[in-house]
Amino acid sequence: AWRPDGVLTAQVLSRDQTSLRLLAFDAEGQATALIEEQQEPWINLSHDARFLESGEILWSSERTGFRHLSVHDASGRLLRTLTEGEWVVTRVVELDQRGGWVYFMAARESPLERHLYRVPLAGGEVEQLTEEAGWHDAVVSPAGDAFVDTSSSAERAPVVTLRSLAGTDAVALYDNDGLTASTLGVQAPEFLSLQADDGTELWGSIYRPDPIEEGRRYPLVVSVYGGPHAQLVTNSWGAAVDMRAQYLAQQGYVVFRVDNRGSANRGLAFEAALNRRMGTVEVEDQVAAVRFLASMPYVDEERVGIYGWSYGGYMSCMCLMQ
């Protein structure tokens, strides 16, 4: 990326993914390191770095174990931390230098949801800008006076709304004709939490045959991904329109998915639990989830299947073989 003063910058990641440098290059190609990070077991890259007209740098890092935002001076020295806590910033949306705000998406309220927030560049309280439960994505105007909010939940189809940051009335741009899971004839999955064998909280979603017949036990099908940089269990419209899960439930199967340790957006320790031991903790968590479901009176623990693609295909094989 080009700095406002015309200097070329680049992020350079070491091959073992444990060392990251933000470099600035002069006209002769000589590099100066502005920010250097060393982190085990790996560094996740982001697209959050921004260069301010003042020369300061907006930076994001998982150095605390959770991705958060900070401001550094032109030489890379840390000036102030903007966000903190056991939750993750998922991306920077907009930098409003004139108004003095950073707008970002985060999973602060729940790992299952995304909301838009802003925080003063000078430091201060984080302000939540989207309130309705569910999954939000946003585009903030360059003038910093409004944003377009695309929001949905497992029950409600996406709606697109233009919202003023001055507190005036919102304008509906697209309401999807009020479409819901119920009117579509499918079920919104139920979200639930359970514990891994080590006590870590895991989040899952479940689709059931409707109605559940009293005294009948239904076969269980597990839908899995399970690897880094992905999250399956979300309170979003995508959960409702998973047609494979919906079809299997209609055919008399209980369908369950759980984001095991190794999945994204729960912090570095949660994601990196599988470092150099893939096919272990993820399998253990899927097994813990199946045992949890087997305690329910309508699940037949003798008939359990699993499917997935990519890392989920690997997980399906590992769960079957182990």
Side-chain angles (χ1 to χ4, degrees):
W2 297 99
R3 261 186 356 201
D5 62 0
V7 170
L8 179 64
T9 68
Q11 292 185 55
V12 179
L13 182 68
S14 64
R15 186 63 186 86
D16 63 3
Q17 297 181 233
T18 62
S19 175
L20 177 67
R21 294 180 295 157
L22 176 64
L23 303 179
F25 295 91
D26 64 20
E28 283 71 45
Q30 296 300 309
T32 300
L34 303 177
I35 296 175
E36 297 188 57
E37 292 196 354
Q38 303 286 333
Q39 183 168 280
E40 295 287 347
W42 65 62
I43 292 175
N44 287 310
L45 294 176
S46 82
H47 299 282
D48 296 333
R50 302 288 190 278
F51 296 97
L52 284 65
E53 295 290 347
S54 66
E56 294 175 338
I57 306 165
L58 175 67
W59 186 251
S60 82
S61 169
E62 290 182 294
R63 64 179 178 272
T64 65
F66 297 87
R67 182 166 298 282
H68 284 294
L69 303 177
S70 56
V71 176
H72 299 243
D73 68 15
S75 67
R77 181 175 60 90
L78 175 64
L79 296 177
R80 55 192 171 275
T81 298
L82 300 183
T83 64
E84 59 185 358
E86 294 187 359
W87 49 274
V88 298
V89 171
T90 55
R91 73 179 179 93
V92 170
V93 175
E94 187 66 54
L95 174 62
D96 176 11
Q97 297 188 59
R98 184 177 62 180
W101 295 100
V102 181
Y103 294 85
F104 61 94
M105 306 303 298
R108 189 179 75 165
E109 309 312 303
S110 165
L112 307 185
E113 299 188 358
R114 292 294 181 275
H115 287 278
L116 175 67
Y117 304 84
R118 68 178 181 180
V119 65
L121 266 171
E125 292 297 317
V126 172
E127 179 183 354
Q128 183 177 341
L129 300 174
T130 51
E131 297 294 340
E132 191 169 13
W135 196 271
H136 295 260
D137 197 9
V139 178
V140 176
S141 71
D145 58 352
F147 66 96
V148 175
D149 175 24
T150 302
S151 68
S152 73
S153 71
E155 173 58 34
R156 175 177 49 81
V159 296
V160 184
T161 309
L162 177 63
R163 302 187 183 278
S164 168
L165 285 164
T168 55
D169 290 342
V171 176
L173 301 180
Y174 180 69
D175 65 5
N176 228 325
D177 296 322
L179 186 65
T180 66
S182 301
T183 59
L184 194 62
V186 298
Q187 59 171 297
E190 176 188 346
F191 299 103
L192 46 84
S193 68
L194 59 142
Q195 285 191 335
D197 289 342
D198 71 344
T200 301
E201 183 180 39
L202 307 175
W203 284 96
S205 57
I206 187 169
Y207 304 77
R208 300 182 181 88
D210 185 24
I212 290 284
E213 297 178 20
E214 186 175 354
R216 180 178 173 184
R217 289 183 175 270
Y218 297 85
L220 172 65
V221 174
V222 176
S223 170
V224 65
Y225 180 79
H229 286 196
Q231 179 182 2
L232 289 187
V233 183
T234 62
N235 184 14
S236 67
W237 185 241
V241 293
D242 180 337
M243 293 294 110
R244 182 176 287 105
Q246 295 287 358
Y247 178 78
L248 287 171
Q250 291 170 1
Q251 298 304 307
Y253 296 88
V254 174
V255 181
F256 187 70
R257 57 174 51 134
V258 63
D259 283 326
N260 50 252
R261 285 171 291 170
S263 303
N265 301 314
R266 292 283 305 278
L268 183 61
F270 187 92
E271 185 182 43
L274 46 62
N275 179 55
R276 300 187 185 277
R277 51 175 181 163
M278 289 178 172
T280 59
V281 295
E282 319 99 297
V283 174
E284 293 165 12
D285 289 356
Q286 294 294 326
V287 170
V290 170
R291 286 177 177 154
F292 175 81
L293 286 198
S295 68
M296 298 180 179
Y298 56 84
V299 172
D300 184 351
E301 64 179 329
E302 297 300 319
R303 292 187 292 166
V304 180
I306 185 169
Y307 72 88
W309 275 258
S310 189
Y311 202 98
Y314 164 74
M315 280 292 295
S316 297
C317 293
M318 294 301 286
C319 287
L320 288 169
M321 289 191 289
Q322 294 187 40

